[in-house]
Amino acid sequence: RDLEYIIIYSSVILPIIGTINSNALRRVSLISEYKKQQGLNISYQFLSMFIGLIDGDGYISITKTPAGFIRIQLILSLHIRDLELINEIHSVLKVGRIEKYSKINTVKLVISRTELQVLIFPLIIHHNLYFLTDTRRIQFDKALFILQNEIKKYSELPTEIPAYKNLPKTAEGYSKLPFFHNWIVGFSLAEGSFFIKNNNDICFYLRQRNHLLLFEGFKFVFNTKTKGENSGGYSKFIVSSVKDIQKVVEFFSFSGLHPLLGYKLTQYNKWINYLRKSPRYCKLKLP
């Protein structure tokens, strides 16, 4: 009876997506969190950053069990050096399990189907967030369709899945998405690099498989003439001029966005120290 009350109460706060087996729900530690409405206390900044991080280094796994049913998980897979970042994400979401693979220098946060139904997907929908890379969008659309339509068997999946959201049609349209700036922070944690070339040019770099329009959107955010480019099957965005590096510093240090975390924060701080010592960049406004 108490379980039934929790389901009703939690559905008022954030609607559960699809039907959850009662035994599965009992195993989810979210129940007490829902009583305290903790789900909605997770900040919009954090969730926007999290979407960008998943777009960069996560995936939604949809596989067939030996019995032909559908298994859904969201997996964030990072180098073991980013264990601190994984721990931070886990401490905020309070869902998932952390798996370490020391032999291959990998750490993962694995979020189960039930946790996706009860917290993660409802939060994404509640805050009008969505994934921006093609692969992640297709995975999310498919998982959401399965849950909303309560499809049980893998063989019952249709060949075409409707899109949850339409992406902007212009690069400037990406830059105007309410969550885009914090999304870039998360995407930078996964796909960004703060580095120094052999000629002492100091650079900021983003790279992923072809998403040219998305990458051209970065030029509007960083107010630069540099455009995204495609090369070798990848989209790239790189800036190194004094003016552009100042915009990057302003973005990550003075814009009030979600802060960098983990290994990328360490890299950024070292990068800032290089800027201080560089004759070319030392006059920039630095944190």
Side-chain angles (χ1 to χ4, degrees):
R1 185 170 180 175
D2 183 52
L3 182 62
E4 291 174 358
Y5 168 77
I6 292 167
I7 294 172
I8 293 170
Y9 183 76
S10 66
S11 67
V12 174
I13 302 169
L14 285 175
I16 294 173
I17 299 176
T19 300
I20 300 176
N21 179 281
S22 60
N23 290 330
L25 190 58
R26 285 191 181 94
R27 293 194 297 269
V28 178
S29 61
L30 284 171
I31 292 175
S32 61
E33 296 300 323
Y34 260 85
K35 283 185 174 180
K36 294 182 264 184
Q37 302 188 32
Q38 288 299 300
L40 289 174
N41 288 337
I42 299 174
S43 75
Y44 182 79
Q45 280 189 330
F46 176 88
L47 291 167
S48 302
M49 177 277 295
F50 178 67
I51 292 292
L53 179 58
I54 298 300
D55 258 323
D57 266 341
Y59 59 99
I60 300 170
S61 172
I62 302 169
T63 56
K64 182 170 65 173
T65 70
F69 294 100
I70 299 170
R71 177 185 291 114
I72 301 174
Q73 296 176 312
L74 189 152
I75 301 172
L76 176 61
S77 180
L78 299 171
H79 192 278
I80 194 71
R81 67 192 175 198
D82 252 323
L83 176 60
E84 178 186 342
L85 173 57
I86 289 281
N87 284 332
E88 177 68 19
I89 299 294
H90 185 248
S91 71
V92 173
L93 295 178
K94 295 182 174 63
V95 295
R97 65 182 187 276
I98 296 174
E99 298 179 352
K100 301 175 188 176
Y101 303 89
S102 300
K103 291 184 178 179
I104 57 173
N105 294 319
T106 299
V107 60
K108 295 182 180 183
L109 176 64
V110 181
I111 301 176
S112 72
R113 171 180 178 143
T114 303
E115 292 164 331
L116 293 175
Q117 288 179 267
V118 173
L119 182 69
I120 303 301
F121 286 1
L123 280 174
I124 290 173
I125 293 170
H126 174 79
H127 289 290
N128 199 27
L129 301 171
Y130 45 94
F131 295 98
L132 300 180
T133 60
D134 292 337
T135 301
R136 216 65 62 237
R137 289 181 65 242
I138 291 170
Q139 292 170 350
F140 178 74
D141 290 347
K142 190 174 183 179
L144 191 62
F145 183 85
I146 291 168
L147 297 175
Q148 289 177 332
N149 292 276
E150 301 186 4
I151 299 173
K152 305 298 182 186
K153 291 281 191 174
Y154 199 89
S155 60
E156 297 171 353
L157 281 172
T159 54
E160 293 187 11
I161 304 291
Y164 167 63
K165 291 283 186 180
N166 293 320
L167 291 179
K169 298 185 183 299
T170 65
E172 188 175 9
Y174 278 97
S175 71
K176 292 181 178 179
L177 292 173
F179 61 91
F180 192 52
H181 287 214
N182 281 295
W183 181 95
I184 291 175
V185 174
F187 192 72
S188 297
L189 293 178
E191 303 290 356
S193 181
F194 304 91
F195 71 100
I196 297 90
K197 289 183 178 180
N198 291 333
N199 65 359
N200 292 322
D201 277 355
I202 296 178
C203 305
F204 171 62
Y205 182 52
L206 290 166
R207 176 178 181 268
Q208 204 191 46
R209 293 193 180 276
N210 286 346
H211 292 96
L212 185 57
L213 198 63
L214 169 63
F215 272 62
E216 285 186 355
F218 298 149
K219 75 175 183 179
F220 292 96
V221 173
F222 292 100
N223 192 23
T224 176
K225 293 181 180 179
T226 300
K227 296 182 178 181
E229 61 179 71
N230 275 2
S231 177
Y234 283 83
S235 294
K236 303 174 183 178
F237 176 82
I238 183 169
V239 292
S240 61
S241 73
V242 173
K243 178 183 176 183
D244 288 343
I245 293 300
Q246 180 67 77
K247 293 296 183 183
V248 172
V249 173
E250 289 172 0
F251 180 84
F252 287 104
S253 291
F254 302 115
S255 296
L257 299 170
H258 195 284
L260 292 166
L261 300 167
Y263 171 76
K264 209 55 58 82
L265 174 59
T266 301
Q267 186 186 72
Y268 178 73
N269 287 335
K270 290 180 179 179
W271 186 78
I272 290 292
N273 286 332
Y274 276 110
L275 289 172
R276 290 195 179 98
K277 298 173 184 177
S278 167
R280 182 182 179 193
Y281 299 94
C282 63
K283 294 184 180 180
L284 296 179
K285 179 186 176 184
L286 301 173

